[in-house]
Amino acid sequence: MPTRRVVTGRSREPRARFAEELRSLRRERGDSLRQLGERLGWDWSLFGKMEKGETLGGPEVVQALDTYYETPGLLLALWELAVSDKSQFKEQYRRYMGLEADASSLWHFAVSVLPGLLQTEGYAREVLAAGGIKEPQLTQQVEARIGRRELLEGENSPPFRTILSEAVLRTPLRNSAEWRGQLEYLRKMSERDGVTVQVLPFLAGPYGLDSTDVWFLRLAGGHTVAYTENAYGGELIETDGPVERLQRAYDAVRDLALSPAESRKFILRTLEELPCDPST
């Protein structure tokens, strides 16, 4: 079972951070650049340029490196930061991404949009495009987001729980086939070991997180941090008092939510309510 990597104490400039991690991982493995190229099937000079920060490579090669080094999603997350405009990834979000890669468990609440870890390619593309992201960055960020789903795969995956406001499931994509595919994928993931999906129905009434998407990450030693976000920004919260207040609000929402079994039935009913695809 691979060991989760500690990512603190390294460069905070995204491109340099990415190159630094690539160099460190290869040296720890004891490979030369030529050996790495032979084992992964790419020209070794590409890896040399990536480690020098001269090029970032594409998502395919980065995903292959994540698999080879047994760092599920970490390199793709760093790559996503490096290829994106700095205005879209503020310092707090950069730090959050590093902490996410090292978390021992994650839990989350969604007001209106599915968490990236559970998004299909079609869903991610439409949501990111609605936020104003254009090509070629759009395709790059979609591929990176989908690649990060590896965080929930494999024996070393951290437990993940998400509570979805019913609004998330009542806000379809414009493409009905993509929306059906997203709901099917959500249903499938809700049955996966280590992944818990709950739905907060409209009938639950008002609740304390009605305008806040929030992530909680449990780190080594049991310390928990929170990250709240909206369409225009986010805030990393590491102080115990505010984190505990958010956790109490989250616990209250969890008490109002449907059980995991009831939530799977809710997702299935939502699927059954969709108009039939005339092509089937």
Side-chain angles (χ1 to χ4, degrees):
M1 183 178 295
T3 302
R4 287 188 169 273
R5 295 179 57 80
V6 176
V7 297
T8 55
R10 297 177 182 268
S11 173
R12 290 193 172 188
E13 197 283 314
R15 194 180 189 101
R17 171 72 177 85
F18 178 64
E20 180 181 4
E21 190 68 24
L22 292 176
R23 291 194 302 271
S24 176
L25 286 166
R26 180 177 59 81
R27 290 168 181 169
E28 288 179 11
R29 184 61 69 95
D31 291 338
S32 68
L33 288 170
R34 289 185 182 277
Q35 288 172 329
L36 184 61
E38 290 172 357
R39 287 166 183 168
L40 295 186
W42 270 275
D43 190 319
W44 67 269
S45 64
L46 170 62
F47 297 114
K49 291 176 181 178
M50 291 172 70
E51 290 185 9
K52 292 178 182 177
E54 296 175 359
T55 184
L56 294 172
E60 297 86 0
V61 67
V62 178
Q63 188 165 359
L65 287 165
D66 255 334
T67 300
Y68 181 69
Y69 291 130
E70 298 180 287
T71 54
L74 172 61
L75 292 179
L76 273 166
L78 295 175
W79 178 85
E80 182 180 11
L81 294 179
V83 300
S84 301
D85 293 336
K86 291 183 179 180
S87 61
Q88 296 194 28
F89 287 93
K90 302 297 185 182
E91 184 62 35
Q92 288 191 342
Y93 187 63
R94 294 174 187 168
R95 174 159 169 73
Y96 165 80
M97 291 291 286
L99 293 173
E100 180 188 80
D102 199 40
S104 60
S105 64
L106 307 91
W107 59 107
H108 166 264
F109 174 72
V111 175
S112 59
V113 178
L114 284 165
L117 293 176
L118 295 179
Q119 292 181 10
T120 61
E121 181 176 348
Y123 188 96
R125 179 172 293 278
E126 191 162 318
V127 168
L128 289 168
I133 300 176
K134 308 293 185 181
E135 296 290 4
Q137 289 80 14
L138 177 59
T139 293
Q140 292 174 338
Q141 290 198 30
V142 168
E143 291 175 338
R145 179 167 293 187
I146 298 310
R148 285 179 57 215
R149 297 190 314 198
E150 288 188 0
L151 186 67
L152 300 183
E153 300 174 357
E155 295 180 358
N156 200 38
S157 301
F160 173 61
R161 175 187 299 272
T162 184
I163 301 174
L164 309 174
S165 166
E166 183 176 342
V168 175
L169 302 177
R170 300 300 186 192
T171 308
L173 298 177
R174 295 183 181 90
N175 185 314
S176 59
E178 294 286 3
W179 178 235
R180 179 179 292 277
Q182 173 62 79
L183 290 177
E184 289 280 10
Y185 182 74
L186 179 63
R187 180 193 60 79
K188 177 182 175 182
M189 289 300 293
S190 73
E191 298 172 350
R192 188 183 183 92
D193 289 344
V195 176
T196 303
V197 177
Q198 293 183 255
V199 175
L200 180 70
F202 290 141
L203 292 176
Y207 55 94
L209 296 175
D210 57 0
S211 61
T212 306
D213 270 42
V214 60
W215 287 86
F216 297 94
L217 309 178
R218 178 160 293 134
L219 308 177
H223 181 60
T224 298
V225 301
Y227 185 79
T228 60
E229 58 185 345
N230 55 40
Y232 302 100
E235 179 183 5
L236 180 64
I237 303 170
E238 301 181 77
T239 305
D240 289 344
V243 170
E244 289 173 2
R245 287 193 290 274
L246 279 170
Q247 283 186 280
R248 287 195 293 271
Y250 185 90
D251 289 343
V253 169
R254 182 175 172 180
D255 289 342
L256 295 170
L258 301 177
S259 71
E262 292 171 330
S263 296
R264 284 192 291 272
K265 292 178 182 178
F266 189 101
I267 295 168
L268 183 59
R269 287 197 301 272
T270 305
L271 265 166
E272 292 171 343
E273 290 169 3
L274 295 180
C276 294
D277 186 345
S279 65
T280 60

